Amino acid sequence: MNIHEYQAKQMFRDAGVSVLDGLHCRNVGEAIDAYRKLGGGVVAVKSQIHAGGRGKGTLLDPKTREVIMEGGVKIAFSEDEVRDYSDRILGNLLITKQTGGSGKLVTNLYVESGCDIVHEYYLAMLVDRGSNSLLVMASREGGMDIEEVAETNPDSIHRITSSGKSGFNRDSCVDLGSRLGLIGPALEKFTDMVSRLGSLFIESDCSMIEINPLVETSDQDIIALDAKVSFDENASFRHPEWDDLRDYGEEEEIELRAKKTGLSYVKLDGDIGCMVNGAGLAMATMDVIKLYGGEPANFLDVGGGADENQVTTAFSIILEDPNVKGILVNIFGGIMRCDIIAKGVISAVSRLGLERPLVVRLAGTNVEEGKAILSESGLNIHPADSLADGAEKIVKLVKGGA
Amino acid sequence: MMSIWVGENARVLIQGITGNQGRFHGAKMVEYGTEIVGGVTPGKGGSTVTLHNRDLPVYNTMNEAIKSTDAEVSVIYVPPPYAAAAIKEAAKSFHDVRGEGLIVCITEGIPILDMIDVTSDLGQYPNIRLIGPNCPGIITPGVKGGSKIGIMPGHIHRKGRIGIVSKSGTLTYEAVAQTTGIGEGQTTCVGIGGDPIQGTGFIDCLEAFEKDPETEAIVMIGEIGGTAEEEAAEWIKANGTKPVVGFVAGATAPPGKRMGHAGAIISGGKGTAKEKIEAFESAGIHVANDPSVIGEVLKIALIEAGLREL
């Protein structure tokens, strides 16, 4: 789960991690008020969306898709500029290299004081699956794409790890800061910040904290100029406060609805809808569809213990995609029982209708009962004996019908 | 030895035996032939649970349960908020009472920081192995019955000479069914789980299969993300003597959708199916490009190794 920069910065502030003064705004009036409250001067007017690359993004009119402005983060030197920029940002679509072509509608702004930057660094904290530990990565090459740095200058990325609940010890933080070339008060501030971020990461069940850029100012202060925080969804049971931080407008409505029902759905560009149990088998099913010359319309994992209701929801989600010309159901029952899937398929089909070809492959727990239920239903369902058979059949049916 | 880590008659406890999942899968395990000797649910000690017509004792603590039943293995069906504590309790109790033990954690959705904590805790118990979490478990099919410890459908397995290790639950079943389909069987199948932090990885399993005299060939199923498959391939290149068949799921998955932004960086651009398959090929692994031909590729690998007639 991701949150906005203004929310992340409030968390930083509460944890004693240095950020500049700034205010969250929802309209032009609030932006102007914020400018006055911050004491005028130079401010940054920053679009708030859950995607990176905002500074280099493009704002489009959501209806005409006409370009409104280049750059979703603007430096304003006066109240008039604040008014102008916020007016051109709010209510428009921001397209960045992380948003995809459809972009994200900007409804939140952050107006933040300026500062005198001497150098920009990169810092990220995350869980490293290789070493089963917390990891900090930092680089002197801040402000740019870290993927690019990793590609062109991997030696400039420095790392420290921590193995448990204690966070990062002082010595390793000092070591990391020194490797970045920090000295004196800036090194002291950096050390303090990394240790505070470590505690914040653990207490808040983060999955990632990314600060790009982290800046050194002319008075040797270290400040988080940007803040990207994501949480580990598995820990939501112990963080009721996340409900207030969640911006439903940022999440794909259909993916969100799937998640609420316990399904994992990702929309893709093809025309064969698939419903599978287990992430690995779901990916493999997509792979096989492609091998037989088809294109999957989605990834959909119904999970371990789906009931009839979930199967019906899964079907309606697949059918909502107008590109879907046929559906392949591939279930290898373990926890999941094939008879329950079969009943779910029938109830979904009887409620939603079935105008598109449907191939069902069942295997595993209670497979015979499942197959019997499907064949006795009298519905036009094409049974398949194996994954390959199922993929071949659905590709033929979809191509034949086109 | 005729399997890895669990024998056909391993004595098994169920943590969370009184819950829905514990009872449902507990009954399936007993039905399969697994030697379930009891279970643990704090606060319900002294009661009895009936699984597939067998009355089983419930204990309050793992320590008490192990002492009373001499169990070697524990399988965990405890909900995510309590699962990490359950693993830690099992590890300490096996260590204190027996000096060794196997813990299989089926639970899906454990917070990742809890797992980091568990991993560092397990470091102090050298003879305790954790499989999972978020995995289907481990199964050693027997001549009659066998030991099924987890949630996999038992009936697709058959005793034999193929070792199977996989990150994905249902894809493991696919591989199992296909090996059974070509007339082969399995020594042991291990689902290591798809979580970023796991108790047991590919290499642990490969090492064990390599040492097990009954295992003559190995099937390894990976998926996109991380670098575990590449590391496993390196290990096989250096140490492997038995034929290995590999498959990697996710060749057509859109990039960036599941892997976290910075996660992709640590691996230095690694983690795609293409790279994993290349690593497999360079290690001499027989790669199935299509998951539905895992059985066929295995047949060819066995023939090439002189382990099967044409």
Side-chain angles (χ1 to χ4, degrees), chain A residues 178-190:
Chain A
S178 308
R179 281 190 273 161
L180 293 173
L182 291 165
I183 48 167
L187 178 59
E188 194 49 48
K189 294 241 166 81
F190 176 85

Side-chain angles (χ1 to χ4, degrees), chain A residues 59-346:
Chain A
L59 285 147
L60 300 186
D61 183 299
K63 288 204 185 87
T64 63
R65 294 191 72 83
E66 169 196 349
V67 175
I68 304 291
M69 185 165 67
E70 291 296 338
V73 174
K74 297 305 243 188
I75 305 300
F77 295 88
S78 67
E79 195 173 303
D80 283 345
E81 284 188 352
V82 171
R83 178 181 294 110
D84 181 40
Y85 289 141
S86 44
D87 185 46
R88 290 207 264 172
I89 291 172
L90 286 166
N92 288 320
L93 285 176
L94 181 56
I95 319 259
T96 78
K97 62 190 253 192
Q98 286 184 20
T99 60
S102 49
K104 296 224 172 181
L105 187 68
V106 190
T107 55
N108 291 286
L109 272 185
Y110 190 57
V111 178
E112 188 179 56
S113 300
C115 71
D116 190 10
I117 299 167
V118 172
H119 192 86
E120 296 191 343
Y121 300 87
Y122 172 90
L123 186 135
M125 193 174 283
L126 58 143
V127 173
D128 179 25
R129 54 201 289 168
S131 62
N132 290 353
S133 58
L134 289 190
L135 170 78
V136 179
M137 297 194 300
S139 163
R140 278 188 66 80
E141 317 239 341
M144 51 192 283
D145 243 2
I146 192 66
E147 288 92 342
E148 218 175 295
V149 177
E151 191 84 0
T152 56
N153 191 6
D155 294 342
S156 73
I157 300 177
H158 304 281
R159 297 170 167 85
I160 55 170
T161 56
S162 151
S163 63
K165 278 187 166 163
S166 47
F168 295 89
N169 70 44
R170 199 188 136 75
D171 287 353
S172 60
C173 299
V174 171
D175 174 51
L176 180 66
S178 308
R179 281 190 273 161
L180 293 173
L182 291 165
I183 48 167
L187 178 59
E188 194 49 48
K189 294 241 166 81
F190 176 85
T191 301
D192 177 65
M193 181 185 279
V194 175
S195 125
R196 284 172 189 272
L197 286 170
S199 310
L200 175 69
F201 193 100
I202 293 163
E203 279 160 23
S204 305
D205 276 298
C206 296
S207 54
M208 186 177 71
I209 294 178
E210 189 180 38
I211 302 173
N212 190 21
L214 175 76
V215 300
E216 183 180 359
T217 63
S218 52
D219 48 1
Q220 291 188 294
D221 203 356
I222 296 285
I223 289 168
L225 207 60
D226 192 13
K228 197 167 163 187
V229 170
S230 33
F231 298 126
D232 172 13
E233 294 263 10
N234 282 355
S236 59
F237 63 82
R238 59 187 175 212
H239 294 283
E241 76 277 11
W242 290 355
D243 288 345
D244 298 330
L245 293 172
R246 205 182 275 274
D247 182 350
Y248 290 103
E250 279 286 337
E251 301 183 38
E252 287 283 338
E253 191 275 329
I254 200 162
E255 290 180 11
L256 196 70
R257 187 146 41 94
K259 199 155 69 186
K260 276 186 188 157
T261 327
L263 309 168
S264 169
Y265 172 87
V266 177
K267 192 185 164 345
L268 303 168
D269 297 328
D271 55 11
I272 297 177
C274 21
M275 183 177 104
V276 189
N277 65 328
L281 191 60
M283 281 193 278
T285 303
M286 287 159 46
D287 296 347
V288 180
I289 288 174
K290 208 146 181 166
L291 273 171
Y292 281 94
E295 285 290 336
N298 64 275
F299 166 95
L300 198 163
D301 172 11
V302 287
D307 53 26
E308 268 189 54
N309 175 39
Q310 280 170 302
V311 174
T312 311
T313 309
F315 253 84
S316 62
I317 283 173
I318 292 171
L319 290 172
E320 271 174 46
D321 179 351
N323 297 331
V324 169
K325 293 193 189 124
I327 300 174
L328 173 61
V329 173
N330 182 25
I331 300 293
F332 210 122
I335 311 182
M336 177 88 74
R337 286 154 47 193
C338 291
D339 53 330
I340 293 193
I341 288 290
K343 282 181 193 156
V345 167
I346 288 168

Side-chain angles (χ1 to χ4, degrees), chain B residues 62-285:
Chain B
M62 275 299 285
N63 191 291
E64 199 189 341
I66 298 165
K67 276 182 183 152
S68 311
T69 62
D70 199 31
E72 311 145 70
V73 182
S74 177
V75 58
I76 299 178
Y77 293 97
V78 168
Y82 317 105
I87 297 171
K88 285 163 85 170
E89 188 199 345
K92 182 169 188 331
S93 307
F94 275 128
H95 176 81
D96 290 350
V97 179
R98 301 175 48 95
E100 61 178 0
L102 176 71
I103 304 162
V104 181
C105 184
I106 307 302
T107 310
E108 176 180 0
I110 304 177
I112 195 160
L113 290 173
D114 288 8
M115 280 313 299
I116 288 190
D117 185 40
V118 164
T119 311
S120 94
D121 192 65
L122 289 181
Q124 57 187 314
Y125 309 122
N127 299 316
I128 304 293
R129 169 170 301 285
L130 169 68
I131 295 175
N134 189 15
C135 75
I138 178 170
I139 180 168
T140 294
V143 184
K144 283 182 194 162
S147 194
K148 161 177 134 75
I149 304 170
I151 58 176
M152 62 290 276
H155 71 272
I156 59 173
H157 299 81
R158 202 173 85 178
K159 187 176 173 54
R161 56 176 176 170
I162 311 297
I164 297 182
V165 52
S166 168
K167 261 188 187 175
S168 149
T170 44
L171 203 45
T172 317
Y173 313 159
E174 191 71 50
V176 168
Q178 288 183 35
T179 53
T180 305
I182 60 161
E184 295 289 339
Q186 305 85 35
T187 46
T188 299
C189 308
V190 191
I192 58 175
D195 272 9
I197 294 193
Q198 302 160 328
T200 292
F202 281 122
I203 295 175
D204 300 308
C205 299
L206 292 170
E207 253 169 349
F209 282 132
E210 191 62 46
K211 276 189 205 140
D212 173 33
E214 293 292 312
T215 301
E216 294 181 21
I218 301 163
V219 174
M220 175 166 68
I221 314 261
E223 60 188 41
I224 53 164
T227 54
E229 289 80 2
E230 285 88 334
E231 285 150 23
E234 283 299 313
W235 189 90
I236 289 169
K237 209 182 224 175
N239 308 288
T241 62
K242 299 178 180 179
V244 181
V245 170
F247 173 73
V248 179
T252 58
K257 200 67 196 184
R258 270 192 55 176
M259 285 177 284
H261 172 59
I265 301 162
I266 314 174
S267 49
K270 285 189 183 171
T272 66
K274 187 170 169 280
E275 265 151 337
K276 289 172 191 295
I277 290 166
E278 281 167 11
F280 276 14
E281 279 170 347
S282 88
I285 296 172

